[in-house]
Amino acid sequence: MTESMAAVLAGKRLVLVTGKGGVGKSTCAAAIAVAAARGGKRVLLVELGARPVAGELLDGVPPDHEPTIIAAARFPSLWACRLDERRALQEYLLETLKLKGLVKLATENRVLARLWQAAPSVDEMSILNALWRFETERDPGGRPRFDLIVVDMPSTGHALSMLGVPRGALAMIRGSSLAARARDIDAMLHDTNRTAICIVTLPEELPVNEAVQLADRLQRELELSSTHVLINGVAADVFDEGERATIERLAEEDSTARRLFVAARRRMSMVSQQARRIGELKERLQARFHHIAWTRARGVGLIDSIADALTRA
Amino acid sequence: MSSSLVELAAGRHVILCVGPGGVGKTTTSAALALAAAESGRRVVVLTIDPARRLADALGVVVGNTPSRVDLGSEVKGELWAVMLDQSSTLDDLIKRIAPTPATADRLLGNVIYRQMSRALAGTLEYTAIEKLYDLRERHGFDLVIVDTPPSKNVVDFIEAPEWLLRFLDERIFKWFTLLGGGDKGGVARLVLQRTARAVGDVLGKVFGDAFVNDFNAFVRDLEGMTAELRKRAASIQLLLRSTESGFVVVTTPDPFVLADAVFLRNELGKRALSFTGFVVNRANVGSGVESPEAVAKLVENVIGDALAKKLAATALEMNARAREDAAAVNRLRRDARWEGYVGVVPREVEEIHDLAALRALARHL
Ligand SMILES: Nc1ncnc2c1ncn2[C@@H]1O[C@H](COP(=O)(O)OP(=O)(O)OP(=O)(O)O)[C@@H](O)[C@H]1O
Ligand SMILES: Nc1ncnc2c1ncn2[C@@H]1O[C@H](COP(=O)(O)OP(=O)(O)OP(=O)(O)O)[C@@H](O)[C@H]1O
Ligand SMILES: [Mg+2]
Ligand SMILES: [Mg+2]
C-alpha cells in the first residue's frame, strides 16, 4: 500500500507550499496542515502575505505574529501565525547579534530603517530565520515545539528569490556574524528528511508551464528538489465514452434540447483540455502527483474536503 | 452600463491593467489593445510574460523594441506589441543616464546592484513603469496599454514610483557619503559623521566589512544618477496621476480574488490614481436550462434515463456556478461602491492565444 500524500508530508518537519499566483497555495497549505493536525500532530501554519487568509479559511480568528491556536474547537492542535517582517527582523538580529542596544540602534535609527527596507533580501532572511527557529525550538522536555510547520509561501518568482537568499547572502556577508545562521538555514532547506517543497498548480497551460519551470529552477539554481505536486481544480469526468459520443452528436442536431447538449459539451471539452494539460505536466516533471477536485465547497468545508482527499492514498 | 471599455479608453493615452495573479491581465491588455487599434488608434501593448502562443500570435519576442502586429489592410489603426525584458530595462536605463560608461560598468557589476535589480520587491514593477514612460515619451504612441507583472502584493505595482523616490532619498546618500569621506567641515558635519561611523560599525558587525565596502561603492556610483532617476520617477508619477491615464482592475469572480480587487481599487483612490473600471474575467456561464424537470422534459425520448440524470446534474452545477459568479459581480459593485464600468468576460473553454480569440473576448469589453 502506498502512503497518502498527507502521510508523506506529515513525516517532514517543514513543508513549503508554492506555485503560480491564485492556483490555491493558501487553500492547499491549510488543508495539508489540517490533515496532519487531525492525525494528532502539533502543526503550525505560517502565513506571509499582506492580507492574511488563514483565519477565514479555517473559520477562526486571524493569526498574529506569534503562533496561536486559531480555531480551538475544531482544530485543537493547529497553530497559525502571520509573520510580520519588522518583528521578524528584530528577532533575527537579536538572535544573531545578541546585543539589545545594537539591535535597537539598527532598527530604530531612521536612516537604517530605510536601509533595511531597501537592502536586498533582509525581509526574506528574517522570515527564513523565523521558520528555522520554529523548526529547531524544543520544549523543556526536549520535544519539538511543533511536529510540522506548513508555510503558505509566496508565488513562483518570489519563492525562488526567497529560497535563494541564504546562499546569496553567504556570498555577500562572508565572515559576518550572520553567516553562520544563513548556513544553518540553507542546510535545513536542503535536508530532504526535514523539508519538502510542494508545488501547487492548475491543469491549465500557464500554471503547468510555471510549475515545470519552478521545479527546474529550484533544482538547477538552488539544488532544491520539489517532488510533491498538487494538481488543484480538476473537474470530474462524469460521462463515459458512449455518453460523450451521444452528447457530441446531439449538440450538432437541431432540437429544443440542443443548448443542453452544447452546455454539456462545454463541460466535456474542459475535462479533456485538463486531461491534456495533466498529461503534459506528468511528462515534463518527475514528482509525486496528487489531484484535487474542483468543488463548490467554500471556507472550512473546502479545506476539510481537500484534507480528506490528501489523506486518501 | 453606458459605454464600453474601448470608448472609455478613447479619451486616454495610458491604460494600466492591474490585478491579482493569474486573473487575465495579459489577455485583457492584449484584447483591449486590439479593439482600440481596430477603432483606429495607434496602440502599443506592453506585455509581461505572455503565454508562448499568445506571444507568437502577437509576433513579439523578449526585447525592448515594439513590433507591429499585422491586422490586415482594412484596419485603420495600428497595433504594436512589446514584451518587457525584465533583466535589461533597468540596465539600459543606467547605461543611458550614467555620467560615464565606466561608472555604468562599475555599477552594473556591483554585487549589491545585481542582487537588488533581481530580487528586490519593487524593482520589477518599477521596470515596467519605466518602460511605459519610454514608450509614451520616446516612441510617441497614442495609446499605451500596460500589462503588469504578478506581484507579491497587489499594490506593489502602483507603489513602485513612490518606492523608488523613497529609496533615492538624499538622506541615505548623504549618510553614506559621510561614511566614506575624510574628516573635514564644521562641527555639525563632524557630529553627523561620528553618528554615520557608528551606523557604519553596526552595519559592519551585522553584514561584514565586505558588504559595507560594496555598499559604499554602490552608493557612490549611483549618487551621480539620483537626480535624473528622481526626476523620471516624479514625471512618471505625474503621468499616472494625470487624466491621460486610467487604471483597469482585472479580477475573477472568486471571492478571495474579488476582495483583493476591491482593496486595490481603494488603494488607487488613496493615491489619487484614476480608476476606469473593473473587468471580471472568467465568469462561469450557465447551461441555459433552469431545473431538473426542464432537463427531463427536454431530453425525454431522446436519451436514456442514466444520461438524462447526469445531464441534469451537470446543467444544475453549471447554473449554480454562474449564479454565484453573477452574485459576485453585484457584491463587487457594492463593496467597491462603484457604479461605473464593470465588464464581465465569460470563461472560455479554450485558452486564448490568437487574434480571433482576443477579438471575441474584446466584444465583452
Ligand atoms: N479545489 C478547489 N475548488 C474550488 N475552489 C478552490 C479550490 N482550491 C482553491 N479554490 C479557491 O480559489 C481561490 C484561490 O485560492 P487560494 O487563495 O488558496 O490561492 P493562492 O494560490 O493562495 O492565491 P494567491 O497567489 O493570491 O495567494 C480561493 O477563493 C479558493 O477558495
Ligand atoms: N476569459 C477567459 N477564458 C478562458 N481562459 C482565459 C480567459 N482569460 C484568460 N484566460 C487564460 O488564463 C491564463 C492566464 O491569463 P493571463 O496570462 O492573461 O493572466 P495574468 O493575469 O496575466 O497572469 P499573471 O499574473 O501570471 O501575469 C491564460 O492561459 C489565458 O489564456
Ligand atoms: Mg495565498
Ligand atoms: Mg500576465
Side-chain angles (χ1 to χ4, degrees):
Chain A
M1 207 187 87
T2 55
E3 262 184 311
S4 71
M5 186 71 131
V8 173
L9 293 177
K12 311 284 179 190
R13 302 291 329 281
L14 179 64
V15 175
L16 308 175
V17 183
T18 176
K20 193 176 189 314
V23 295
K25 294 179 297 296
S26 304
T27 306
C28 290
I32 293 167
V34 162
R38 280 181 189 165
K41 288 198 184 284
R42 279 165 309 163
V43 182
L44 173 63
L45 175 62
V46 182
E47 286 200 87
L48 310 174
R51 205 174 59 79
V53 294
E56 266 171 273
L57 290 175
L58 298 170
D59 199 9
V61 294
D64 180 53
H65 180 73
E66 286 300 326
T68 46
I69 295 177
I70 61 167
R74 206 190 297 250
F75 308 115
S77 70
L78 177 57
W79 281 257
C81 68
R82 196 205 140 258
L83 292 179
D84 176 80
E85 279 144 356
R86 274 273 271 305
R87 286 171 69 182
L89 171 62
Q90 278 179 353
E91 290 162 357
Y92 172 44
L93 294 178
L94 207 57
E95 286 165 29
T96 41
L97 304 177
K98 308 209 164 65
L99 290 169
K100 263 214 169 92
L102 200 62
V103 175
K104 213 168 139 61
L105 173 64
T107 53
E108 285 173 13
N109 173 287
R110 282 199 19 224
V111 175
L112 279 183
R114 279 283 161 80
L115 190 69
W116 295 123
Q117 276 173 15
S121 320
V122 169
D123 282 349
E124 285 86 349
M125 197 66 190
S126 311
I127 298 290
L128 289 173
N129 177 68
L131 299 180
W132 182 85
R133 173 159 31 79
F134 291 139
E135 203 269 342
T136 48
E137 255 175 322
R138 297 288 181 272
D139 66 17
R143 210 167 64 129
R145 179 174 176 204
F146 301 109
D147 299 313
L148 181 69
I149 299 140
V150 182
V151 189
D152 179 7
M153 293 281 286
S155 54
T156 311
H158 297 101
L160 269 167
S161 34
M162 181 165 184
L163 295 172
V165 160
R167 290 200 168 174
L170 281 171
M172 287 196 297
I173 56 173
R174 43 197 185 268
S176 89
S177 50
L178 300 187
R181 181 59 62 89
R183 254 189 298 277
D184 288 342
I185 294 173
D186 197 53
M188 170 183 76
L189 295 176
H190 284 83
D191 181 350
T192 49
N193 290 324
R194 284 198 277 174
T195 303
I197 299 176
C198 188
I199 299 180
V200 183
T201 187
L202 296 174
E204 293 174 20
E205 181 184 6
L206 292 184
V208 162
N209 284 344
E210 205 169 299
V212 172
Q213 279 163 12
L214 171 59
D216 182 54
R217 290 186 58 190
L218 282 169
Q219 188 64 57
R220 245 178 334 109
E221 294 170 16
L222 304 173
E223 298 169 80
L224 288 168
S225 55
S226 42
T227 45
H228 308 270
V229 174
L230 301 182
I231 308 174
N232 189 21
V234 180
D237 190 3
V238 284
F239 303 111
D240 64 32
E241 214 167 309
E243 291 169 336
R244 280 201 289 270
T246 310
I247 291 168
E248 294 282 4
R249 179 169 51 79
L250 293 170
E252 293 300 326
E253 273 176 21
D254 208 13
S255 80
T256 47
R258 173 148 183 242
R259 64 195 149 141
L260 190 61
F261 295 110
V262 170
R265 187 174 59 180
R266 238 180 106 84
R267 171 68 200 239
M268 272 164 35
S269 322
M270 183 170 139
V271 170
S272 59
Q273 179 97 322
Q274 286 195 343
R276 262 202 306 282
R277 296 297 177 216
I278 294 173
E280 283 165 18
L281 175 65
K282 291 185 174 169
E283 209 166 275
R284 291 167 66 192
L285 192 63
Q286 281 292 326
R288 190 189 162 111
F289 295 94
H290 203 284
H291 294 209
I292 295 170
W294 190 46
T295 77
R296 285 187 45 234
R298 289 283 168 209
V300 77
L302 176 62
I303 305 299
D304 268 330
S305 77
I306 297 178
D308 290 343
L310 290 173
T311 310
R312 283 192 291 271
Chain B
M1 217 174 320
S2 48
S3 45
S4 73
L5 190 53
V6 183
E7 285 164 343
L8 286 169
R12 304 187 189 275
H13 299 292
V14 178
I15 295 279
L16 303 104
C17 296
V18 294
V23 294
K25 298 180 291 297
T26 304
T27 312
T28 305
S29 321
L32 183 60
L34 176 62
E38 291 186 336
S39 80
R41 302 185 70 182
R42 183 163 181 268
V43 187
V44 62
V45 56
L46 169 60
T47 61
I48 295 168
D49 260 349
R52 217 197 64 236
R53 274 179 294 169
L54 178 62
D56 289 347
L58 294 172
V60 282
V61 285
V62 182
N64 281 322
T65 26
S67 56
R68 180 146 181 203
V69 184
D70 184 9
L71 298 181
S73 53
E74 321 81 79
V75 176
K76 279 203 317 296
E78 291 176 18
L79 176 59
W80 294 71
V82 56
M83 195 159 139
L84 183 72
D85 182 348
Q86 297 168 4
S87 61
S88 79
T89 303
L90 206 61
D91 292 1
D92 288 353
L93 175 65
I94 297 291
K95 283 186 204 145
R96 252 198 338 265
I97 67 172
T100 67
T103 320
D105 285 347
R106 229 183 9 249
L107 186 57
L108 298 186
N110 185 292
V111 189
I112 314 267
Y113 173 82
R114 285 211 314 271
Q115 186 79 11
M116 214 179 91
S117 59
R118 273 191 306 126
L120 186 53
T123 323
L124 174 58
E125 286 76 11
Y126 185 73
T127 309
I129 296 193
E130 170 60 36
K131 188 71 209 163
L132 138 76
Y133 187 66
D134 190 48
L135 286 169
R136 178 85 184 117
E137 298 299 306
R138 272 205 313 166
H139 298 267
F141 281 98
D142 172 40
L143 176 62
V144 185
I145 297 199
V146 189
D147 172 24
T148 54
S151 297
K152 193 156 126 208
N153 297 312
V154 281
V155 291
D156 285 350
F157 182 79
I158 59 175
E159 268 186 343
E162 273 166 62
W163 166 83
L164 189 72
L165 284 170
R166 228 185 305 133
F167 177 69
L168 296 176
D169 186 325
E170 61 266 55
R171 268 169 307 177
I172 297 191
F173 284 88
K174 228 189 259 144
W175 276 81
F176 283 95
T177 341
L178 280 171
L179 229 166
D183 293 311
K184 54 176 193 284
V187 179
R189 190 178 156 94
L190 276 175
V191 170
L192 252 183
Q193 200 155 39
R194 206 162 308 135
T195 327
R197 290 251 166 81
V199 169
D201 284 347
V202 174
L203 288 179
K205 283 226 176 60
V206 176
F207 289 122
D209 292 333
F211 177 85
V212 176
N213 289 338
D214 289 339
F215 195 85
N216 274 326
F218 171 69
V219 170
R220 229 175 301 121
D221 285 332
L222 198 61
E223 206 195 2
M225 301 176 221
T226 53
E228 177 63 23
L229 282 171
R230 261 203 304 273
K231 208 173 88 207
R232 288 181 79 92
S235 324
I236 290 174
Q237 217 165 18
L238 215 63
L239 173 66
L240 294 184
R241 287 193 179 145
S242 77
T243 49
E244 274 194 23
S245 308
F247 283 81
V248 172
V249 175
V250 185
T251 175
T252 69
D254 181 274
F256 276 79
V257 179
L258 219 62
D260 271 351
V262 172
F263 175 71
L264 188 53
R265 131 95 170 138
N266 294 338
E267 294 296 312
L268 289 170
K270 281 189 204 157
R271 291 175 177 74
L273 295 165
S274 121
F275 174 66
T276 307
F278 291 105
V279 170
V280 183
N281 189 25
R282 316 191 86 179
N284 285 292
V285 182
S287 68
V289 185
E290 282 313 311
S291 67
E293 294 76 33
V295 172
K297 199 145 156 266
L298 275 176
V299 299
E300 195 167 51
N301 307 324
V302 181
I303 52 171
D305 263 3
L307 181 53
K309 275 219 183 71
K310 283 189 193 174
L311 271 179
T314 304
L316 295 186
E317 196 206 281
M318 291 173 84
N319 295 347
R321 286 184 194 275
R323 262 200 309 278
E324 274 172 16
D325 290 356
V329 172
N330 290 333
R331 209 166 42 240
L332 171 66
R333 285 187 173 285
R334 205 179 52 233
D335 291 352
R337 299 193 193 164
W338 174 248
E339 280 161 15
Y341 177 82
V342 178
V344 179
V345 177
R347 175 184 178 136
E348 303 293 344
V349 172
E350 299 289 327
E351 278 135 2
I352 295 167
H353 15 71
D354 56 25
L355 293 180
L358 285 177
R359 204 171 278 126
L361 194 141
R363 274 202 291 277
H364 301 280
L365 299 174

